Amino acid sequence: MIVLGIETSCDETAAALVARDADGSGRILSDVILSQVEDHNAFGGVVPEIAARAHVEALDGIVAAAMAKAGKSFPDIDGVAATAGPGLIGGVLVGLTTAKAIALAAAKPLLAVNHLEGHALTARLTDDLAFPYLVLLVSGGHSQFLAVEGVGRYRRIGTTIDDALGEAFDKAAKLLGLPYPGGPAVEAAARRGDSARVALPRPLIDRPGADFSFSGLKTALRLAAEAAAPLSDQEVADFCASFQAAVTDIVANRAAHAMATFATGHDTPPVLVVAGGVAANEAIRAALRATASAHGFRLVAPPARLCSDNGVMIAWAGAERLALGLTDPLTVPARPRWPLDGTARGVLGAGAKGARV
Ligand code: KG4
Ligand code: ZN
């Protein structure tokens, strides 16, 4: 089957076509992304109204490009998937409404995909993973561990109690005078810095459970930066290295707790998948690889392009849902807040137990 996927929940306008075979294997037929980073740069973060307008302007052309690159037209596809939440409501509405229009006009099933489900299932496309596996999703909006037990069957093992990790990187960058998005800028500066320069806290480390907290770290960074101002280029690099060392320690510690929780409930050879934009960070990947191997887990990290927001992950999650008959009516609402576990429109327990289907 072939599914068109549309992603507009944040600052990327993206569309893609994927094919999924009956044995559960998949192929990317096209993958088109327009990043709005330039539009938001001056504001140091994503401005929802600017994002929604940019999606309106770009989306028809992005969908047409994805169809053309795959050499397909609407009669060739088997379903239309779009992010229905969580995310910025204006953008989600643009993508979901466009998907509904295509589904109606072409008489194809609609798949209203949870954005987090897209991140969580990508590793089945890239690495052919069977259920269950553990996912660490670290992006601009989310930091959580999910036990992925089947399509529509997700159990949250830990989450952030304040900021998301990507958000913490973005805020750290902003207060150190680095550009948005902050993650890549902080990582690049950290390479030239001394991670022992600033003593920073590691909130929640060695507490039980796998929850995160980054707001105390951010405040400590701000106070230290204010005390040392004005910062030279070398000091900015040192602050970045110290911040990155702190979050790396936190992530490794929380991952160890999450793996222990996950391992107690499963007997298959365990896999830890890291997804979301922050998964591009090499220091964090290296720490996760070491912690995973110490706990007998294999670390799977999909290519960075498929870790950050994209249309492929939505098309693929749509294909996985379509294979189970989990289609949605044209009346399905956009949901700015939509936790992945517990409330997935009654699909919990629907099929797919233990292996790909
Ligand atoms: O998944 P994503 O593209 O968008 C969503 O938030 O859903 O993630 C974007 C986030 C931003 O906060 C960005 O600063 C962060 O991922 N990020 C990084 C790196 N590359 C992107 N954080 C740390 N290190 C990086 N290399
Ligand atoms: Zn995302």
Side-chain angles (χ1 to χ4, degrees):
M1 67 174 65
I2 295 174
V3 173
L4 164 66
I6 294 174
E7 160 58 35
T8 55
S9 67
C10 192
D11 59 350
E12 265 93 29
T13 313
L17 266 76
V18 302
R20 185 184 186 280
D21 297 331
D23 68 358
S25 59
R27 269 166 302 128
I28 299 171
L29 304 183
S30 64
D31 176 14
V32 183
I33 302 185
L34 178 71
S35 171
Q36 302 175 6
V37 162
E38 298 296 316
D39 301 338
H40 301 285
N41 226 331
F43 304 96
V46 179
V47 183
E49 179 63 17
I50 292 177
R53 286 172 189 232
H55 289 307
V56 170
E57 277 173 24
L59 185 56
D60 287 357
I62 296 291
V63 169
M67 299 298 296
K69 283 196 173 168
K72 303 289 179 195
S73 52
F74 290 139
D76 302 325
I77 63 176
D78 299 290
V80 188
T83 299
L88 301 174
I89 188 66
V92 172
L93 277 169
V94 173
L96 183 59
T97 307
T98 300
K100 287 179 179 181
I102 297 169
L104 185 64
K108 302 293 178 182
L110 174 72
L111 294 311
V113 170
N114 184 309
H115 179 88
L116 307 178
E117 181 170 45
H119 280 302
L121 295 178
T122 298
R124 281 171 50 83
L125 169 66
T126 57
D127 292 78
D128 213 26
L129 285 190
F131 298 123
Y133 53 88
L134 179 64
V135 171
L136 167 59
L137 172 60
V138 272
S139 68
H142 305 278
S143 297
Q144 52 187 255
F145 291 100
L146 290 166
V148 179
E149 295 173 345
V151 175
R153 302 181 61 228
Y154 311 101
R155 192 162 46 88
R156 203 166 65 185
I157 289 180
T159 188
T160 179
I161 58 175
D162 41 57
D163 294 344
L165 181 50
E167 192 181 357
F169 268 100
D170 294 337
K171 288 177 176 173
K174 196 171 181 177
L175 74 89
L176 293 171
L178 297 174
Y180 171 84
V186 170
E187 183 175 18
R191 284 199 195 98
R192 300 182 283 108
D194 171 8
S195 63
R197 165 74 166 68
V198 195
L200 293 170
R202 272 88 169 133
L204 296 189
I205 216 165
D206 286 333
R207 295 256 196 100
D211 285 341
F212 293 102
S213 169
F214 297 110
S215 75
L217 171 61
K218 179 193 64 195
T219 305
L221 184 74
R222 181 171 56 74
L223 294 176
E226 282 169 5
L231 299 180
S232 67
D233 276 1
Q234 185 55 49
E235 283 172 316
V236 168
D238 293 345
F239 273 69
C240 287
S242 303
F243 172 81
Q244 187 170 275
V247 300
T248 301
D249 285 351
I250 295 166
V251 169
N253 171 271
R254 302 287 86 188
H257 286 232
M259 285 186 280
T261 305
F262 180 79
T264 55
H266 302 88
D267 52 8
T268 47
V271 171
L272 171 63
V273 175
V274 58
V278 184
N281 186 289
E282 279 173 23
I284 292 176
R285 275 189 193 217
L288 282 172
R289 194 164 290 116
T291 310
S293 121
H295 286 77
F297 276 61
R298 180 162 70 92
L299 183 74
V300 168
R305 179 179 171 84
L306 296 178
C307 278
S308 55
D309 291 351
N310 63 83
V312 169
M313 69 188 215
I314 304 305
W316 176 251
E320 294 253 61
R321 297 180 67 82
L322 184 58
L324 293 171
L326 297 170
T327 61
D328 294 278
L330 291 174
T331 52
V332 69
R335 298 176 62 176
R337 291 184 189 281
W338 183 5
L340 191 50
D341 55 335
T343 56
R345 296 192 314 277
V347 301
L348 287 179
K353 194 168 185 179
R356 58 163 69 251
V357 291

